[in-house]
Amino acid sequence: MTLSRDRILFLKALRRFIQSGKDGYTEGDRSGESVTVDYDTLAAVWRLSYIHAVLPMAYDAAAVLSRGITDPDAERLMSVWKQQAIRSVAAQTIRSSALLQLCKKFDAAGLHVLVVKGIICRRLYPKPDYRTSADEDIYVLEEELGDVRAILEKEGLTPVDPDEFTDDETDVATYVSRATGLKIELHRHLFEREFAVCIGADGLFEHAHERALATELDGVPVLSMCRTDHMIFLLLHACKHFVHSGFGIRQVCDICRFAEAMNDEIDWKEVRRALERCRAETFAASLFRIGSEYLGFPDADYIGTESPDVTELLDDILDGGVYGSVSEDRIHSGLITLNAVSSPERGSGSHILRTVFPPARELRGSYRYLRTKPWLLPAAWVQRIFSYLGKGKRVSAEESLRIGKRRVGLLRRYGLVQAEEADGQTDPCDPDSL
């Protein structure tokens, strides 16, 4: 299995951005200087950049690729791409500044707020604000939750869901600033607790605040997890999205860049123990292999585990876009893969039934009334089915099942799902089993 030409060129464009400015990286190493492409290929590279939210990161290399094209459509595309990249970087600069102002407030109040991913990874790139973030994640202590929320609201951020954190089972709430566009994901737990239990990650970060590090960014003290905890989180966060509907190439870039930059500060034995506990060591090793084979990162054996061929995994990453949200079918297929991981012992059509009729805890985010009235679950099932019917051609049950079946196969290959169902049982992802 080989990657298509547009995908290869897209990855080369990212590699050019990531590796630029490094010692020993010369013009001769940069992709695209002697390559010419047609408009359709250029448009395909643009689409990949768009669905993976890396338009600024890929623009410079794309501009090199487009030099040999005289097609006026290509000129218009590059003009649009340039404007999109400029707007994205400008907006990110504003959001980054707003986040640092919040960190100042947290520090002044003596709060132990850990900034996760986002700006911590962004600062490791040659042009930090070219690596954009839709939101910023912060991890707070339970006893400081009220004070953190008060500061967020005082600084002009409002909760997307006014009922957030009204019950003990809510793990994350979203706050947004209309003035700056900053979106904050406020975590009281880094993973949904049910998911953490099903992959064995429960309790992994209970001491993260005790092990935290202070980093100064633009003169502002910012607390974050220690390098080892952060590395574990980045890998398991990708794993989490992999077993849902997928994750984007930007996460692979972050993981490999963080490992390269922080290698000497990471306890890789501890990372491996955490990955083994979550059955994710083969998955993690494969991400590093993608980084070395396609993105120019060192060929380092961080995990000490061999990985299978990564082309199919890389194709799946590129297919899905950011968090696998490229299509409704792909999103809905995530219920199949998630159920395969969380209920591997179940046979026959139980995964399909659980996909159509999930428990109340899986629907609370979309149907808020289930938080206080769980007995209305049957009404939520009916509402959900009619919602799918209303989407018409945007959602195909057959296509969702096809994607789900293929992706469950990937999960098995990387050890995240147990071996094939026992002989005589029906494949839970086979449309004929419905």
Side-chain angles (χ1 to χ4, degrees), residues 161-172:
D161 179 0
D163 297 326
E164 44 86 15
F165 290 152
T166 54
D167 62 70
D168 290 337
E169 296 187 5
T170 304
D171 295 303
V172 60

Side-chain angles (χ1 to χ4, degrees), residues 72-355:
D73 287 338
E75 293 180 5
R76 283 192 288 271
L77 173 61
M78 292 310 300
S79 177
V80 170
W81 194 336
K82 182 177 182 179
Q83 292 305 312
Q84 290 173 326
I86 291 172
R87 286 196 296 270
S88 294
V89 173
Q92 183 59 64
T93 301
I94 293 171
R95 294 194 298 268
S96 295
S97 177
L99 175 64
L100 291 178
Q101 290 304 309
L102 277 177
C103 289
K104 276 186 180 180
K105 301 291 184 180
F106 297 146
D107 181 63
L111 299 174
H112 303 84
V113 178
L114 304 188
V115 177
V116 183
K117 300 190 292 114
I119 200 168
I120 303 299
C121 293
R122 189 158 53 247
R123 71 187 184 92
L124 302 177
Y125 289 93
K127 298 178 181 178
D129 284 338
Y130 277 49
R131 188 279 190 210
T132 58
S133 299
D135 55 51
E136 299 289 343
D137 296 87
I138 60 175
Y139 180 30
V140 303
L141 291 167
E142 188 73 29
E143 59 268 27
E144 295 181 355
L145 183 60
D147 292 332
V148 171
R149 292 166 63 190
I151 289 177
L152 291 175
E153 293 177 12
K154 184 177 180 180
E155 295 303 309
L157 287 92
T158 57
V160 171
D161 179 0
D163 297 326
E164 44 86 15
F165 290 152
T166 54
D167 62 70
D168 290 337
E169 296 187 5
T170 304
D171 295 303
V172 60
T174 303
Y175 282 72
V176 178
S177 168
R178 292 185 179 180
T180 63
L182 177 64
K183 180 189 291 186
I184 294 288
E185 295 284 348
L186 175 59
H187 296 263
R188 69 205 295 187
H189 301 282
L190 285 176
F191 291 106
E192 296 87 346
R193 277 164 282 184
E194 183 187 9
F195 176 82
V197 170
C198 87
I199 68 166
D202 53 309
L204 275 179
F205 302 100
E206 61 184 0
H207 299 296
H209 286 87
E210 300 168 22
R211 293 153 53 105
L213 295 176
T215 304
E216 192 169 284
L217 302 180
D218 295 337
V220 178
V222 176
L223 280 179
S224 65
M225 291 190 288
C226 74
R227 310 307 186 200
T228 300
D229 285 344
H230 221 140
M231 188 76 260
I232 294 170
F233 176 74
L234 289 173
L235 289 166
L236 293 184
H237 184 254
C239 180
K240 165 193 168 180
H241 286 286
F242 184 46
V243 302
H244 282 71
S245 53
F247 62 99
I249 194 66
R250 193 176 64 192
Q251 280 185 271
V252 181
C253 296
D254 286 350
I255 287 167
C256 294
R257 184 70 192 98
F258 192 89
E260 179 186 29
M262 304 300 177
N263 181 31
D264 293 341
E265 300 178 54
I266 294 172
D267 182 341
W268 287 104
K269 289 182 179 180
E270 187 173 342
V271 172
R272 181 178 173 84
R273 283 194 294 270
L275 293 173
E276 288 175 342
R277 176 175 166 178
C278 301
R279 308 184 304 275
E281 65 272 24
T282 302
F283 169 73
S286 298
L287 298 188
F288 289 123
R289 182 174 172 182
I290 288 173
S292 64
E293 291 188 3
Y294 294 93
L295 297 169
F297 288 104
D299 183 14
D301 187 13
Y302 297 117
I303 309 302
T305 298
E306 291 187 9
S307 71
D309 179 79
V310 295
T311 312
E312 189 175 357
L313 173 61
L314 181 53
D315 252 337
D316 181 74
I317 291 169
L318 296 177
D319 278 343
V322 176
Y323 301 135
S325 57
V326 73
S327 70
E328 296 276 2
D329 292 328
R330 173 108 181 187
I331 292 170
H332 294 141
S333 76
L335 291 171
I336 297 171
T337 51
L338 178 60
N339 290 330
V341 171
S342 60
S343 308
E345 73 287 350
R346 296 180 180 179
S348 189
S350 62
H351 294 304
I352 297 298
L353 289 174
R354 185 180 169 93
T355 297

